[in-house]
């Protein structure tokens, strides 16, 4: 049986970052989150949660000069782990 989920991310707080290409971050986040859900499955915390108003997925460290695509991937991974 196929499961359909809809995820809407209204806002992401990127504290401590200089000027970055937010569209590239967003695109990488969507791609990585889609990949994680397809390959790893829907986390238990997400499949039974209904609407989640806020999710604090914690902090992570990135090397200076990291590309926006890597930032998006890291955010997706933090979100995915936060749903477990």
């Amino acid at each position: 049986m196929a499961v359909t989920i809809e995820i809407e991310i209204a806002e992401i707080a990127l504290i401590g970052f200089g000027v970055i290409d937010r569209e590239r971050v967003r695109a990488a986040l969507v791609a990585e989150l889609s990949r994680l859900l397809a390959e790893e499955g829907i986390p238990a915390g997400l499949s039974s949660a209904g609407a989640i108003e806020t999710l604090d997925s914690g902090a992570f460290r990135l090397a200076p000069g990291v590309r926006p695509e890597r930032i998006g991937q890291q955010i997706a991974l933090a979100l995915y782990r936060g749903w477990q």
Side-chain angles (χ1 to χ4, degrees):
M1 178 174 87
V3 176
T4 301
I5 62 171
E6 181 177 323
I7 299 172
E8 178 183 334
I9 301 172
E11 181 179 1
I12 300 171
L14 298 176
I15 300 166
F17 289 91
V19 177
I20 59 172
D21 186 336
R22 295 182 188 279
E23 179 54 31
R24 288 171 54 198
V25 171
R26 186 203 64 76
L29 187 158
V30 169
E32 181 65 6
L33 197 52
S34 297
R35 185 193 70 76
L36 286 167
L37 290 167
E39 292 180 9
E40 304 295 327
I42 299 171
L46 184 60
S47 64
S48 62
I52 300 172
E53 292 299 319
T54 62
L55 176 66
D56 182 352
S57 56
F60 53 88
R61 295 195 184 278
L62 296 168
V66 68
R67 295 183 4 236
E69 291 80 10
R70 184 67 180 139
I71 296 168
Q73 291 170 339
Q74 287 295 100
I75 294 170
L77 184 57
L79 286 171
Y80 187 81
R81 288 179 178 161
W83 286 322
Q84 295 180 347

